[in-house]
Amino acid sequence: MTPFNYERASDISEAVGKPQFIAGGTNLLDLMKLGVETPDRITDITRLDMKNIEDHEGGLRIGALVSNSDLAADMRVRQTYPVLSRALLSGASGQLRNMATTGGNLLQRTRCYYFQDKSSPCNKREPGSGCSAIGGVTRLHAILGASEHCIATHPSDMAVAMQALDALVEVEGKDGSRRIALSDFYRLPEDRPDRETVLEYGELITAVVLPPAPTGKQTYRKVRDRASYAFALVSVAGIVSMQDGKIAQVALAFGGVAPRPWRDLEFEAALVGRAPTRETFDAATDILLRDASGQGGNDFKIPLLRRTLRAVLTELCEE
Amino acid sequence: MKTTLTINGNTHALDIDPRTTLLDALRNHLDLTGSKKGCDHGQCGACTVIADGRRINSCLTLACMMDGVEITTVEGLGKPGDLSPLQDAFVRHDGFQCGYCTPGQICSATAMLEEARAGWPSAVTDNLEGETVSLGNGEISERMSGNLCRCAAYPNIVDAIREVSERKEVAE
């Protein structure tokens, strides 16, 4: 690790405007040890009052410092937002979930092995240096939303479930607070893969707001190389409600396939009002995958996503 | 910088570089070498300690962030002649070969049993809304996936943990 100055913030206003926050630290310290992140000053925000899960506007307001473990185990989340509990429990390990926070999980870096290897050129680590993943080992890489500059995937499971739940991110900045829809929170890499979110310098995530839970069945399915403690090859967060044998409402978000949690409203619209048949699923999935492209090593993700989605929809559409 | 750590009930005043991880503070500054450095990236779990009742990777934690937190290491769980139930079960079930991952396995399992007692579900729990959890082999494997054993003593590790978990269930 390169040397840094450590300071601890005692309230939110003291933290706002600082260049690098640390809370759980599980991603930041990992990257600092690799020399990928080299902050010269870090601000410890772990003592700030952002650790509660509150009933809020018919939904929940989750403080940014609520640990992934506490959020997954909260009985309101287990009963009302099971897709979120399931997603959280499928991510990382018991030790990491105890440290990792809600805000930090959202802000973990979109990353790949080349990003973490300082001997490889990487546009995310050093803009303009090139992408070593393209033409390299690409098993974990994106099939949607990538650019010629970066094909890394966002590894969060939690954020995929939150995307399906239409979560809002509450942030505090120099000019006050604002709420950002999670669907607008992440940027696509385009030609600036080093910029992953729309957060302005010094803005602090204070909470995530979940709207009232949608009706219908919820599930989270994650397909990966190991049974536990591995990133998703493909994951699906799904919420479906049925009426009179037809799909009434859907929300579907995908992990492991794009530089951000992926959601496609045109694809969802192609499911609504239709009978839950294989033809319906396949025609809609054609829309979802219309711009999908593999890099060789990850080509398998295209059929894997189609099949995983078919299994999820079959499960959720059962009345 | 100056920081104060509470380890196994004892308070230690330290003057350390802010880069010092909790693991390095334990091993290099406090002579508590039970916690092991494996990958140093949170992947193997050999460094697992218990912080305010929660298992964490001490390699991914800065020591200077841990003042006011009660840390328990494997040295605080039991001693020769006075082993904790899990330490005793690991010995009887032969839950190790080289032993390098064992302190982390035991700290992790100690806190994991408390998580299960609190009714925390896991990724393989069928009923998310249950108040209690029964720890079969599948549940134990899933909950212990943050602890690797390169000797692959997993069957015996799982047996040791399951025995202690069943004893706790009977005691209740």
Side-chain angles (χ1 to χ4, degrees):
Chain A
M1 271 189 258
T2 52
F4 55 83
N5 287 315
Y6 168 89
E7 62 191 359
R8 182 176 292 171
S10 52
D11 60 49
I12 289 173
S13 62
E14 194 186 323
V16 167
K18 298 295 194 305
Q20 177 69 64
F21 306 121
I22 187 167
T26 54
N27 187 217
L28 179 62
L29 288 171
D30 187 19
L31 294 173
M32 286 167 68
K33 288 182 182 191
L34 294 169
V36 172
E37 297 272 16
T38 55
D40 52 18
R41 177 180 181 190
I42 64 175
T43 304
D44 177 355
I45 57 167
T46 54
R47 312 299 159 111
L48 302 185
D49 180 20
M50 308 193 292
K51 293 177 184 161
N52 296 320
I53 306 174
E54 300 157 343
D55 295 322
H56 182 80
E57 296 170 4
L60 290 178
R61 183 177 181 278
I62 303 156
L65 290 174
V66 172
S67 74
N68 288 182
S69 298
D70 283 324
L71 186 56
D74 187 278
M75 196 50 95
R76 291 165 293 185
V77 177
R78 284 152 69 179
Q79 290 175 341
T80 318
Y81 305 96
V83 62
L84 179 56
S85 267
R86 291 270 178 219
L88 284 158
L89 293 170
S90 76
S93 66
Q95 288 95 319
L96 290 172
R97 290 192 295 271
N98 279 338
M99 290 297 285
T101 62
T102 304
N105 187 315
L106 291 179
L107 289 180
Q108 66 181 305
R109 298 299 304 272
T110 299
R111 56 196 190 268
C112 84
Y113 354 90
Y114 299 101
F115 171 66
Q116 305 199 132
D117 170 16
K118 275 189 73 186
S119 66
S120 301
C122 168
N123 286 322
K124 182 183 287 296
R125 187 166 17 82
E126 282 177 59
S129 64
C131 173
S132 302
I134 295 172
V137 176
T138 54
R139 184 169 178 80
L140 289 178
H141 291 79
I143 53 170
L144 290 164
S147 76
E148 59 181 309
H149 302 279
C150 183
I151 59 171
T153 47
H154 193 267
S156 174
D157 293 290
M158 180 195 82
V160 177
M162 286 180 171
Q163 183 83 279
L165 291 166
D166 292 318
L168 302 164
V169 185
E170 225 176 75
V171 305
E172 188 76 27
K174 285 267 186 233
D175 303 322
S177 57
R178 61 179 180 137
R179 279 184 179 185
I180 308 164
L182 190 58
S183 51
D184 298 327
F185 185 75
Y186 294 104
R187 296 162 44 98
L188 286 177
E190 297 171 348
D191 61 350
R192 287 298 303 274
D194 55 315
R195 298 180 59 189
E196 294 168 6
T197 72
V198 300
L199 287 182
E200 303 287 342
Y201 181 91
E203 275 187 320
L204 175 72
I205 297 179
T206 50
V208 171
V209 174
L210 297 183
T215 54
K217 282 207 263 187
Q218 304 180 18
T219 197
Y220 188 76
R221 184 171 298 206
K222 179 172 178 177
V223 183
R224 46 185 157 174
D225 281 327
R226 297 192 295 215
S228 184
Y229 195 15
F231 289 146
L233 297 168
V234 164
S235 72
V236 183
I239 307 166
V240 173
S241 65
M242 299 290 294
Q243 199 170 11
D244 304 327
K246 295 203 167 128
I247 299 169
Q249 273 185 308
V250 291
L252 290 152
F254 304 91
V257 293
R260 67 181 192 199
W262 195 257
R263 196 159 167 199
D264 184 331
L265 299 179
E266 212 179 310
F267 149 73
E268 290 178 13
L271 290 166
V272 173
R274 296 182 189 273
T277 62
R278 181 162 171 158
E279 290 69 33
T280 300
F281 300 160
D282 283 354
T285 307
D286 286 341
I287 295 173
L288 175 70
L289 294 172
R290 61 194 178 284
D291 295 324
S293 67
Q295 298 284 339
N298 64 349
D299 290 351
F300 72 95
K301 285 189 177 182
I302 297 173
L304 183 62
L305 179 55
R306 181 179 289 279
R307 291 172 191 158
T308 308
L309 178 55
R310 194 186 291 150
V312 165
L313 286 170
T314 302
E315 177 193 332
L316 290 176
C317 291
E318 248 175 42
E319 282 180 284
Chain B
M1 65 177 287
K2 289 187 182 358
T3 194
T4 304
L5 294 178
T6 308
I7 317 288
N8 303 326
N10 300 315
T11 305
H12 304 270
L14 293 173
D15 193 356
I16 50 173
D17 188 300
R19 289 174 287 182
T20 312
T21 61
L22 176 59
L23 176 62
D24 287 342
L26 292 170
R27 291 183 57 83
N28 301 343
H29 295 267
L30 298 170
D31 213 20
L32 289 164
T33 53
S35 308
K36 296 292 187 271
K37 184 179 282 195
C39 68
D40 210 23
H41 286 278
Q43 296 171 3
C44 74
C47 69
T48 303
V49 300
I50 303 170
D52 283 342
R54 301 280 177 95
R55 51 181 171 155
I56 64 167
N57 299 112
S58 62
C59 75
L60 286 184
T61 306
L62 293 176
C64 61
M65 293 175 69
M66 299 306 279
D67 58 295
V69 176
E70 299 271 350
I71 310 285
T72 304
T73 67
V74 72
E75 290 94 340
L77 292 177
K79 292 189 167 27
D82 183 23
L83 298 179
S84 78
L86 273 163
Q87 288 172 320
D88 178 56
F90 268 66
V91 172
R92 284 184 295 98
H93 286 273
D94 201 15
F96 44 80
Q97 288 177 40
C98 81
Y100 196 79
C101 73
T102 311
Q105 298 276 3
I106 288 175
C107 283
S108 182
T110 300
M112 182 277 281
L113 291 180
E114 293 307 311
E115 294 169 4
R117 278 157 70 95
W120 287 14
S122 83
V124 299
T125 307
D126 286 333
N127 177 15
L128 269 189
E129 298 178 28
E131 301 277 350
T132 57
V133 182
S134 183
L135 293 182
N137 290 1
E139 281 279 1
I140 292 171
S141 296
E142 163 59 29
R143 289 166 190 263
M144 293 296 293
S145 69
N147 291 85
L148 302 184
C149 171
R150 273 205 68 186
C151 307
Y154 296 111
N156 295 359
I157 293 171
V158 170
D159 285 349
I161 295 171
R162 201 186 54 244
E163 183 199 287
V164 175
S165 132
E166 285 166 357
R167 214 185 303 155
K168 281 196 170 181
E169 279 173 21
V170 171
E172 284 162 33

